[in-house]
């Protein structure tokens, strides 16, 4: 029972200030987050497919509110998906590439987000931001509008301490502080953005959200650049 990312202790974002954000939906219901990395490609988390029970899903771009009419909101069909080989029982390789049936219509509300291509760790203490439509409280309240929260990066050494994740964090993962502010159920697949560049993807993690002892786990995108380029090619 892995909780799947929610924004905890965050705030509503300024509408359309994160034009790269995507909502993965089954029958019009938000399941996971994602973000546009090329005109026809969205990045998300592989575990999101499990949450959907392999149902047909669509990708919503250009949204701030999931329900209200907005000028550039558009629902895209999915041509196919690729994962580097994630497993149901671990957070390893929790990355997903989604090919849209058509190229996204780019405008001020729909934009591509650059991801980190240099394979290096984000320094501890770096302030990064996570956004999503995941639940905002432990009671499971779903927001209609996009939420965001700023979180500092924690070093892998600290994250791997016994009190935290006890050596579960590999070099392909990074951690962010989860003290009363966190990502949680429904935010999986969204980007961890540092200095305007996507450094990580919200993974699941078998943990209680907002528990300082269990920092948020993110898949480190730069460790997969070769794989990403080969799929996009």
């Amino acid at each position: 029972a892995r909780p799947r990312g929610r924004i905890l202790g965050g705030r509503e974002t300024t509408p359309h200030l994160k034009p790269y954000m995507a909502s993965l939906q089954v029958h019009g219901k938000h399941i996971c987050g994602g973000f546009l990395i090329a005109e026809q490609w969205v990045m998300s988390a592989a575990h999101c497919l499990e949450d959907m029970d392999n149902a047909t899903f669509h990708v919503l771009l250009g949204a701030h509110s999931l329900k209200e009419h907005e000028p550039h909101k558009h629902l895209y069909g999915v041509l196919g998906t690729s994962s580097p080989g994630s497993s149901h029982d671990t957070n390893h390789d929790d990355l997903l590439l989604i090919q849209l049936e058509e190229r996204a219509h780019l405008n001020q509300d729909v934009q591509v987000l650059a991801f980190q291509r240099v394979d290096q760790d984000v320094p501890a203490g770096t302030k990064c931001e996570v956004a999503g439509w995941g639940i905002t409280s432990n009671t499971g309240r779903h927001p209609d509008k996009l939420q965001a929260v700023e979180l500092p990066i924690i070093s892998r050494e600290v994250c791997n301490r016994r009190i935290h994740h006890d050596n579960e964090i590999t070099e392909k993962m990074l951690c962010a502080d989860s003290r009363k502010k966190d990502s949680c159920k429904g935010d999986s697949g969204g980007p961890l953005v540092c200095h305007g560049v996507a450094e990580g993807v919200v993974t699941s993690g078998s943990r209680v959200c907002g528990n300082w002892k269990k920092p948020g786990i993110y898949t480190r995108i730069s460790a997969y650049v070769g794989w990403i380029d080969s799929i996009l090619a």
Side-chain angles (χ1 to χ4, degrees):
R2 282 185 297 261
R4 299 282 208 272
R6 82 177 159 257
I7 296 295
L8 193 68
R11 64 188 190 287
E12 184 185 332
T13 65
T14 304
H16 307 294
L17 207 59
K18 301 184 188 308
Y20 46 79
M21 287 298 296
S23 167
L24 277 50
Q25 304 195 338
V26 174
H27 305 309
K29 181 173 176 259
H30 172 82
I31 305 291
C32 264
F35 54 106
L36 197 64
I37 61 162
E39 283 184 46
Q40 207 171 343
W41 292 90
V42 167
M43 187 176 286
S44 185
H47 281 119
C48 289
L49 293 183
E50 293 167 20
D51 292 354
M52 298 174 195
D53 293 326
N54 294 323
T56 300
F57 71 98
H58 291 79
V59 177
L60 182 68
L61 296 176
H64 175 64
S65 160
L66 294 177
K67 296 191 185 87
E68 293 169 18
H69 174 76
E70 293 172 344
H72 295 122
K73 255 165 90 163
H74 188 74
L75 201 61
Y76 292 84
V78 172
L79 197 60
T81 61
S82 296
S83 164
S86 75
S87 109
H88 190 89
D89 303 317
T90 72
N91 291 317
H92 295 285
D93 303 323
D94 195 8
L95 211 57
L96 183 69
L97 287 175
I98 301 162
Q99 187 175 18
L100 306 178
E101 284 186 339
E102 57 184 305
R103 290 176 180 268
H105 313 297
L106 300 185
N107 51 62
Q108 72 255 35
D109 297 343
V110 180
Q111 293 286 330
V112 168
L113 176 63
F115 58 88
Q116 181 59 261
R117 302 187 66 86
V118 180
D119 191 359
Q120 61 188 27
D121 283 323
V122 183
T126 303
K127 289 278 175 55
C128 302
E129 195 171 47
V130 181
W133 290 273
I135 54 178
T136 53
S137 70
N138 284 309
T139 56
R141 195 170 67 83
H142 284 267
D144 172 56
K145 299 186 168 92
L146 186 65
Q147 307 287 308
V149 66
E150 192 177 78
L151 303 165
I153 295 298
I154 295 174
S155 74
R156 188 174 295 108
E157 181 189 17
V158 170
C159 200
N160 268 325
R161 286 177 183 165
R162 183 173 292 180
I163 192 175
H164 298 315
H165 289 296
D166 198 14
N167 287 322
E168 282 182 26
I169 307 304
T170 72
E171 290 186 356
K172 293 183 175 182
M173 303 173 189
L174 71 162
C175 298
D177 190 45
S178 56
R179 203 175 294 261
K180 294 187 179 168
K181 294 182 175 185
D182 202 358
S183 58
C184 206
K185 188 172 174 61
D187 289 324
S188 283
L192 177 73
V193 179
C194 314
H195 304 306
V197 174
E199 291 277 2
V201 174
V202 181
T203 184
S204 39
S206 51
R207 58 192 198 88
V208 176
C209 311
N211 174 359
W212 69 272
K213 287 185 180 177
K214 297 296 177 191
I217 303 170
Y218 301 82
T219 302
R220 198 165 63 80
I221 298 169
S222 61
Y224 294 90
V225 168
W227 174 77
I228 294 165
D229 287 345
S230 70
I231 299 295
L232 266 61

